[in-house]
Amino acid sequence: MHLKNIQLMSDDDHGNLASQSLCMTEMFLYELEKKFQTKDCEPIVLICGSFKDYKLISTLKDEPDILFLKNTYELEVPFRYSEFENATNKKKILADTLEKAILYLCELKNWDSQLVKATFKKMKEKEYKAEIKGRTKLSPDKKRKAYP
């Protein structure tokens, strides 16, 4: 199996963290490509809050839940949303949080942590700016270019 989705969420912020972290999680999955193999996990949900330590709270395997897909890992992650809200370097905070959580899972589940570290190093070199390079497409009237 390959990782298909990673989501950071918090109960304290009315869904703001999930939308703000989407750029980091998607960049991570894009840079990771399909190289990362797992035995029983496709999506990972990182529940951010005032926890003392990282803790794997659920591994749904049999049937999908109302909120989560089949084969989902749920992980509690220490995170202070109030500090994040006022920070100027939000991308770095999100990337660090994501990296620590994924590396914790790598250690817990014996996944390849070197591939994860290399991916985060690549993201850091790009200064957390996601650029997808490829062919441009012209609009139907052939006057404008679109970048998929």
Side-chain angles (χ1 to χ4, degrees):
M1 285 185 196
H2 300 286
L3 283 179
K4 293 183 179 175
N5 189 10
I6 299 175
Q7 185 176 14
L8 275 86
M9 56 191 297
S10 175
D11 294 337
D12 305 350
D13 67 347
H14 308 292
N16 291 332
L17 183 63
S19 62
Q20 290 177 340
S21 65
L22 190 60
C23 62
M24 274 304 111
T25 57
E26 289 302 314
M27 183 179 186
F28 174 71
L29 290 172
Y30 179 78
E31 295 293 336
L32 191 62
E33 299 170 349
K34 296 281 183 188
K35 298 176 189 172
F36 195 73
Q37 293 280 343
T38 64
K39 292 179 183 171
D40 61 350
C41 176
E42 291 177 346
I44 299 173
V45 177
L46 305 174
I47 302 167
C48 302
S50 56
F51 305 111
K52 292 182 181 178
D53 204 7
Y54 296 89
K55 181 182 173 188
L56 185 63
I57 56 172
S58 174
T59 56
L60 298 175
K61 293 180 183 170
D62 299 330
E63 294 184 22
D65 187 310
I66 292 174
L67 296 175
F68 304 120
L69 300 169
K70 194 170 149 178
N71 301 322
T72 300
Y73 281 11
E74 294 177 55
L75 180 72
E76 289 180 348
V77 177
F79 188 81
R80 295 201 174 159
Y81 186 76
S82 58
E83 290 176 11
F84 170 76
E85 205 170 23
N86 300 321
T88 56
N89 56 346
K90 289 184 177 187
K91 283 186 177 182
K92 184 176 179 349
I93 293 170
L94 289 172
D96 288 344
T97 303
L98 183 61
E99 182 177 14
K100 288 175 185 172
I102 298 296
L103 287 174
Y104 173 79
L105 272 176
C106 286
E107 183 182 315
L108 196 65
K109 294 294 179 180
N110 295 322
W111 294 344
D112 183 15
S113 64
Q114 295 304 318
L115 189 58
V116 172
K117 289 176 185 177
T119 302
F120 278 106
K121 184 179 179 186
K122 218 186 310 183
M123 288 171 61
K124 191 178 238 179
E125 288 169 0
K126 292 182 177 185
E127 297 176 349
Y128 307 114
K129 293 179 184 171
E131 294 178 10
I132 301 172
K133 296 179 182 174
R135 241 175 15 126
T136 60
K137 292 191 173 208
L138 291 174
S139 63
D141 63 359
K142 309 283 188 228
K143 293 182 180 179
R144 296 185 204 98
K145 289 184 180 179
Y147 298 89

